[in-house]
Amino acid sequence: MIDEQIWLVEDDRQNLKLYYRVKEILANRQSPFQQVNIIDTYDFGRCLVLDGVMQTTELDGYIYNEMISHVPVVCHPNPKKVLVIGGGDCGVVNELAKYAELEQIDMVEIDRVVVEECLDKLTGIAGKAAEDKRINFLFEDGVKHVQNKKDFYDIAIVDSSDPIGPAVELFSEEFYFNLKNALKKDGLMVCQSQSPIFNKDILKKTRENLKKHFPLVITYKTVVPSYPGGMWSFTLASLKYHPAEANYRRLSSDTKFINRDIFQSSMHLPNFMIKDLGLD
Amino acid sequence: MIDEQIWLVEDDRQNLKLYYRVKEILANRQSPFQQVNIIDTYDFGRCLVLDGVMQTTELDGYIYNEMISHVPVVCHPNPKKVLVIGGGDCGVVNELAKYAELEQIDMVEIDRVVVEECLDKLTGIAGKAAEDKRINFLFEDGVKHVQNKKDFYDIAIVDSSDPIGPAVELFSEEFYFNLKNALKKDGLMVCQSQSPIFNKDILKKTRENLKKHFPLVITYKTVVPSYPGGMWSFTLASLKYHPAEANYRRLSSDTKFINRDIFQSSMHLPNFMIKDLGLD
């Protein structure tokens, strides 16, 4: 335990700074891609911090991870092979492991250091993902991985960081085109599509890019407690299956946030989003 | 426009500080109760700040105000008289004014300075509340006001600040007992009941106190974008009417957030809340 006056200062946004009081710094490594920290905080438990920006916290990371993982699994009637792009905190693969019907979970994360540290020190999020033999940790570029797969996955989950720096290609139209081809003919994908309040343009652009390649594009929302902005969006793009026809009985009961009601209501958008996205 | 290096530092929480970059300080007055500031910020628009704590922002204040106002109005089939306790930013009365069927809206706010400044400088939230003849601004103690009313209001909305200092009595069992008596026999009330993540105890205690006096107590939720905690809870306590029987056609269409789907899904709670509140 170190001096209680250690704070993480998150000042990546020009007009807002957040100071989190730090209990202990558990990991502090420079990877080839970024500065990787795992810190223990007073208010949010253990947290993953990349280049000084809070990524996920033990207090509430399960909300994001459950919403990006369980929704696509339940939307697909018979998923076997799942691709995760990014997701270095291992929360997504830990959620996916709750589904016995999944046979292969390929997690493609460019930064091995993030995964090593999270599996070791962020177990409140990563759980026992390291022990599940269905999970393949592939430390490579997700963009290239997708280019080399054809007609292979039932589900793809794009758990990227913000569309700046290395993650920018994960928001491009070309990436979505390649991702569609990596999916089976009845496959579907989900990506995080940023804050519907602070990043309206990114959400709109994501939807436009996806619509060029997928017949069905649906944005859903959740809360993101440890982020000022309070709401987060995900966008599901599907080649065949519609979430309205999902079999909710397949939803795992081993969850802290999502249930049938939450699943269904996540698709209900407030008026400002309906207007912003041109859905009215 | 002043120096761009002016920041509002919100450090009321021990382990988290927020710095908001300030464009302009529009009001800075010491009232008999608190320091009242209205500031214009870069990320959140104009904001009301009381004793250094952010209360509401033009960027997203409508979410809170719509959820605490429209839900009770639509739950009651024939409301005429509404009481608002607190609500100094005038957002609640501005939302209520959208309902032609309301005949009398009593807003009891202890601090006249807050109301004056918000009506003048926070019009993105207060709207034209000052011009609506149905709204009576009563600058007095909400606790005492409620003691002196019997069988009078159809709806009461308790839009209090946090349960510290002057607002603490607004969370007491005695206050809810008096509030019940101020309502007509088929009346209902709503209060803000804090963050279901950071203030679980307050939410639970609020429900327990309300259950002693009201046959129907229902907690619903929303996002609260400009607050780390991301979720907020409201608790509705009703003497007769159940929200499941609400007539959604009465819902105002002049809203930025709430619609029929959002209304219904606000009552759907995530697993952790169901567990915390003993609803499973």
Side-chain angles (χ1 to χ4, degrees):
Chain A
M1 189 116 12
I2 54 177
D3 174 21
E4 291 191 9
Q5 285 307 324
I6 300 288
W7 296 77
L8 167 70
V9 182
E10 189 180 69
D11 57 357
D12 61 317
R13 278 167 61 175
Q14 199 186 348
N15 302 316
L16 183 74
K17 294 184 205 180
L18 273 77
Y19 283 57
Y20 301 89
R21 192 189 292 270
V22 175
K23 198 183 283 187
E24 194 173 359
I25 296 170
L26 300 164
N28 182 24
R29 284 172 68 183
Q30 178 66 43
S31 83
F33 303 96
Q34 53 208 338
Q35 182 70 25
V36 180
N37 283 103
I38 293 177
I39 61 174
D40 194 6
T41 64
Y42 281 89
D43 273 11
F44 296 93
R46 293 189 177 193
C47 308
L48 171 65
V49 180
L50 299 178
D51 285 340
V53 180
M54 187 72 89
Q55 300 293 320
T56 185
T57 82
E58 280 188 339
L59 179 79
D60 56 33
Y62 64 88
I63 298 181
Y64 175 98
N65 286 320
E66 288 184 13
M67 293 305 291
I68 201 173
S69 303
H70 294 256
V71 168
V73 171
V74 176
C75 282
H76 194 294
N78 185 35
K80 301 287 184 197
K81 293 178 180 168
V82 181
L83 170 65
V84 180
I85 306 271
D89 61 36
C90 300
V92 169
V93 291
N94 187 46
E95 294 303 324
L96 293 173
K98 295 174 180 173
Y99 289 88
E101 61 263 48
L102 302 184
E103 296 171 357
Q104 179 177 344
I105 302 167
D106 290 350
M107 177 171 141
V108 181
E109 161 63 54
I110 205 162
D111 196 340
R112 179 191 293 267
V113 173
V114 173
V115 174
E116 284 175 358
E117 294 296 337
C118 290
L119 287 176
D120 187 46
K121 303 185 181 78
L122 205 65
T123 50
I125 289 173
K128 296 183 175 176
E131 297 170 18
D132 196 304
K133 299 300 179 206
R134 299 170 298 168
I135 302 173
N136 306 304
F137 294 99
L138 305 168
F139 301 110
E140 56 187 66
D141 184 340
V143 172
K144 291 192 184 127
H145 180 88
V146 162
Q147 285 168 351
N148 297 325
K149 290 283 182 181
K150 302 292 171 207
D151 197 29
F152 191 79
Y153 294 107
D154 300 298
I155 293 171
I157 296 173
V158 186
D159 179 17
S160 67
S161 48
D162 294 340
I164 44 169
V168 77
E169 280 190 81
L170 300 180
F171 286 80
S172 71
E173 185 198 330
E174 188 186 356
F175 172 68
Y176 297 134
F177 174 73
N178 290 328
L179 197 57
K180 182 190 78 170
N181 290 332
L183 291 172
K184 290 184 185 157
K185 294 289 171 279
D186 63 348
L188 55 87
M189 63 146 281
V190 171
C191 61
Q192 69 94 345
S193 42
Q194 301 276 306
S195 161
I197 293 179
F198 287 110
N199 317 106
K200 288 177 202 282
D201 290 348
I202 297 172
L203 169 56
K204 283 182 79 166
K205 189 71 187 168
T206 300
R207 287 175 52 89
E208 283 165 21
N209 284 342
L210 286 167
K211 279 183 176 174
K212 290 175 187 160
H213 304 297
F214 291 85
L216 186 68
V217 173
I218 289 182
T219 293
Y220 63 100
K221 67 176 196 319
T222 192
V223 296
V224 53
S226 56
Y227 188 79
M231 292 181 71
W232 207 251
S233 75
F234 304 100
T235 299
L236 184 146
S238 176
L239 293 167
K240 182 172 179 186
Y241 306 114
H242 194 292
E245 293 154 9
N247 178 359
Y248 306 108
R249 276 171 297 197
R250 287 186 40 240
L251 194 61
S252 169
S253 60
D254 181 14
T255 60
K256 285 191 276 188
F257 190 76
I258 198 171
N259 52 41
R260 179 192 175 133
D261 283 342
I262 293 288
F263 181 115
Q264 292 178 314
S265 61
S266 71
M267 313 274 166
H268 296 160
L269 303 183
N271 282 359
F272 80 88
M273 284 181 73
I274 291 170
K275 189 176 164 197
D276 288 344
L277 302 180
L279 301 172
D280 49 356
Chain B
M1 188 115 13
I2 54 176
D3 175 21
E4 290 190 10
Q5 285 306 325
I6 300 287
W7 296 78
L8 168 70
V9 183
E10 188 180 68
D11 58 357
D12 61 317
R13 279 168 59 176
Q14 198 185 347
N15 302 316
L16 183 74
K17 294 185 205 178
L18 273 76
Y19 284 57
Y20 301 88
R21 193 189 292 270
V22 175
K23 198 182 283 186
E24 195 172 0
I25 297 171
L26 300 163
N28 183 24
R29 283 173 71 183
Q30 178 66 43
S31 83
F33 304 95
Q34 53 208 338
Q35 182 69 24
V36 180
N37 283 102
I38 293 177
I39 61 174
D40 194 6
T41 65
Y42 281 89
D43 274 11
F44 297 92
R46 293 188 177 194
C47 310
L48 171 65
V49 181
L50 298 178
D51 284 340
V53 180
M54 187 72 89
Q55 300 293 320
T56 186
T57 82
E58 279 189 338
L59 180 78
D60 55 33
Y62 63 89
I63 298 181
Y64 175 98
N65 285 321
E66 289 184 12
M67 293 305 292
I68 201 173
S69 303
H70 294 255
V71 168
V73 170
V74 177
C75 282
H76 194 294
N78 185 33
K80 301 287 185 197
K81 292 178 181 169
V82 182
L83 170 66
V84 180
I85 305 271
D89 62 36
C90 300
V92 169
V93 292
N94 188 46
E95 294 303 324
L96 293 172
K98 294 174 180 174
Y99 290 87
E101 62 262 48
L102 301 183
E103 295 171 357
Q104 179 177 343
I105 302 167
D106 289 350
M107 177 172 142
V108 181
E109 161 63 54
I110 203 161
D111 196 339
R112 178 191 293 266
V113 173
V114 173
V115 174
E116 285 174 358
E117 294 296 339
C118 291
L119 287 175
D120 186 47
K121 304 185 181 79
L122 205 65
T123 50
I125 289 173
K128 297 184 175 176
E131 296 170 18
D132 196 303
K133 298 299 178 207
R134 298 170 298 166
I135 301 173
N136 306 304
F137 294 99
L138 305 168
F139 301 110
E140 56 187 65
D141 183 341
V143 172
K144 291 193 184 125
H145 180 88
V146 162
Q147 286 168 350
N148 298 325
K149 290 282 182 181
K150 303 292 171 207
D151 196 30
F152 191 79
Y153 294 107
D154 300 297
I155 293 171
I157 297 173
V158 186
D159 179 16
S160 66
S161 49
D162 294 341
I164 43 170
V168 77
E169 280 189 80
L170 299 179
F171 286 80
S172 71
E173 188 200 329
E174 188 186 355
F175 172 68
Y176 296 135
F177 174 72
N178 289 328
L179 197 56
K180 181 189 80 169
N181 290 332
L183 291 172
K184 290 184 185 157
K185 294 289 169 280
D186 63 348
L188 55 87
M189 63 146 282
V190 171
C191 60
Q192 68 94 344
S193 43
Q194 301 276 305
S195 162
I197 293 179
F198 287 110
N199 317 106
K200 287 178 202 282
D201 291 348
I202 297 172
L203 170 55
K204 283 181 78 167
K205 189 71 188 166
T206 300
R207 288 174 52 87
E208 283 164 20
N209 284 342
L210 285 167
K211 279 182 176 174
K212 289 175 189 162
H213 305 297
F214 291 85
L216 187 69
V217 173
I218 289 182
T219 294
Y220 61 100
K221 66 175 198 319
T222 192
V223 296
V224 53
S226 57
Y227 188 80
M231 292 180 72
W232 208 251
S233 75
F234 303 100
T235 299
L236 183 146
S238 176
L239 293 166
K240 182 172 179 186
Y241 305 114
H242 193 292
E245 294 153 8
N247 179 358
Y248 305 109
R249 275 172 299 197
R250 286 187 39 241
L251 194 62
S252 169
S253 60
D254 182 14
T255 61
K256 286 191 275 187
F257 190 76
I258 198 170
N259 53 41
R260 179 191 176 133
D261 283 342
I262 293 288
F263 181 114
Q264 291 177 314
S265 61
S266 70
M267 313 275 167
H268 297 160
L269 303 184
N271 283 358
F272 80 88
M273 284 182 73
I274 291 171
K275 189 176 163 198
D276 289 344
L277 303 181
L279 300 172
D280 48 356

